[in-house]
Amino acid sequence: MAQNFEILSNKMVEEQLKTRDIKSDAVFEAMNNVQRHLFVSKKLQNYAYSDSPLPIGMGQTISQPYIVAFMTEQLELAPGMKVLEIGTGSGYQAAILAYLGCEVYTIELLKELAAEAKKNLAAHNFNAKVKHGNGYMGWSEEAPFDAIIVTAAPDYIPEKLIEQLKDGGKMIIPVGEVHSVQLLKLITKKGEKVIEKNLLPVRFVPMVDKTI
Ligand code: SAH
C-alpha cells in the first residue's frame, strides 16, 4: 500500500479504535491491513481513514471505522465461521470478515453496488460471495450461519434472519425508525430463546424491504 495510506491506517487503529473500547488483536490487525481507501471513490480516498462514515454512491454510506470494528468484535468471530452480511455496500465490511478467515456471504439490494463490490473484492483477493437480493429473506440455501451482521437499519428484527442463525449464533443489527437514531442490538439465539442486548445508539441507512 502506498506509504501514506499505511500511515493513515495505522493512525486510525491507534487513535480511533485503541483509545476507545475495542480490544481484539485480530480486529486491530484486520482493520490495519484491509485497505479502506480501496473501497471508496478516488476523490474520497484521502478521507478514507477519517473518523466518520463516507458516501459510496446511490445515497449509501460506508460506516465509520469504529462502528465496523465494534460490530465485528461483538460477534466474537473465529476462522472458518460462516457469516452472513446484509448490506454489502462498498464491500469493506465483507473484506474485514474475509480477512478474519470467515466464510463470507453478503447480500446487497442495489444491483450496481452488488456488482461493483463483487468486482472489487475479487480484484483484491477477498473471498466473499456477493448476492444481489433482499436481505429480509436472508440466504436460505447457505443457512444456518454462525453469525449475521446487518449494516442497514430495519425497524424490526427480520424473522428469517433469526431462523437462519445457528443455535448459539449471534446477530448484530441496528434497529429503529428511518431517519432517527437507531439502537445497535446484539441478538443471541439459544434454543427456542432469543436474547436481546442493547449496545449503542447508531445511525444507519434504512434497510429497504423491496422485491427485486
Ligand atoms: N457494509 C457496507 C455499508 C452498508 S450501507 C460497507 O462496508 O460498505 C447499507 C447498504 O445496505 C446499502 O448499500 C444499501 O443499499 C443496502 N441495503 C438496504 N436495504 C437492503 C436490503 N433489504 N437487503 C440488502 N441490502 C440492503
Side-chain angles (χ1 to χ4, degrees):
M1 135 169 60
Q3 187 66 13
N4 185 26
F5 288 124
E6 200 175 319
I7 292 168
L8 291 176
S9 165
N10 247 299
K11 233 169 104 109
M12 172 187 86
V13 170
E14 295 300 322
E15 294 175 4
Q16 300 171 35
L17 310 185
K18 292 194 177 172
T19 56
R20 296 190 177 130
D21 53 352
I22 310 298
K23 297 272 180 280
S24 157
D25 285 335
V27 171
F28 292 143
E29 208 192 308
M31 298 289 296
N32 201 9
N33 286 301
V34 175
Q35 303 174 56
R36 188 169 155 98
H37 66 277
L38 300 176
F39 294 88
V40 301
S41 65
K42 277 248 161 9
K43 63 177 195 300
L44 290 179
Q45 286 194 336
N46 287 332
Y47 303 95
Y49 299 89
S50 59
D51 196 10
S52 62
L54 286 175
I56 54 171
M58 308 196 66
Q60 307 305 325
T61 55
I62 178 173
S63 302
Q64 176 191 11
Y66 170 70
I67 294 293
V68 173
F70 182 84
M71 291 175 79
T72 306
E73 182 169 75
Q74 290 292 322
L75 292 173
E76 299 183 282
L77 300 169
M81 280 188 174
K82 204 166 179 180
V83 183
L84 174 66
E85 179 193 25
I86 307 299
T88 316
S90 69
Y92 175 67
Q93 174 74 68
I96 295 283
L97 299 170
Y99 188 92
L100 289 169
C102 297
E103 197 182 317
V104 184
Y105 297 82
T106 178
I107 304 176
E108 170 56 51
L109 185 70
L110 302 176
K111 199 171 185 174
E112 293 83 347
L113 288 181
E116 183 73 17
K118 187 173 185 170
K119 209 172 74 194
N120 206 20
L121 284 161
H124 296 101
N125 292 317
F126 291 107
N127 194 3
K129 299 195 180 58
V130 182
K131 173 161 114 169
H132 169 224
N134 182 351
Y136 281 91
M137 301 293 112
W139 197 323
S140 56
E141 299 85 350
E142 294 296 343
F145 297 95
D146 293 289
I148 301 180
I149 178 166
V150 183
T151 64
D155 53 19
Y156 62 94
I157 299 170
E159 194 51 46
K160 286 234 161 55
L161 298 185
I162 303 262
E163 282 169 19
Q164 293 179 18
L165 209 50
K166 277 187 193 165
D167 191 11
K170 288 188 198 314
M171 167 160 72
I172 192 153
I173 180 167
V175 183
E177 301 291 319
V178 178
H179 306 308
S180 71
V181 172
Q182 304 121 8
L183 255 182
L184 191 60
K185 291 174 185 277
L186 183 68
I187 311 289
T188 309
K189 185 169 169 180
K190 285 236 165 80
E192 293 297 294
K193 276 207 276 190
V194 175
I195 302 156
E196 220 179 287
K197 186 174 160 199
N198 292 334
L199 299 172
L200 272 187
V202 285
R203 202 180 278 266
F204 277 80
V205 297
M207 181 163 160
V208 178
D209 196 359
K210 196 170 105 198
T211 317
I212 56 162

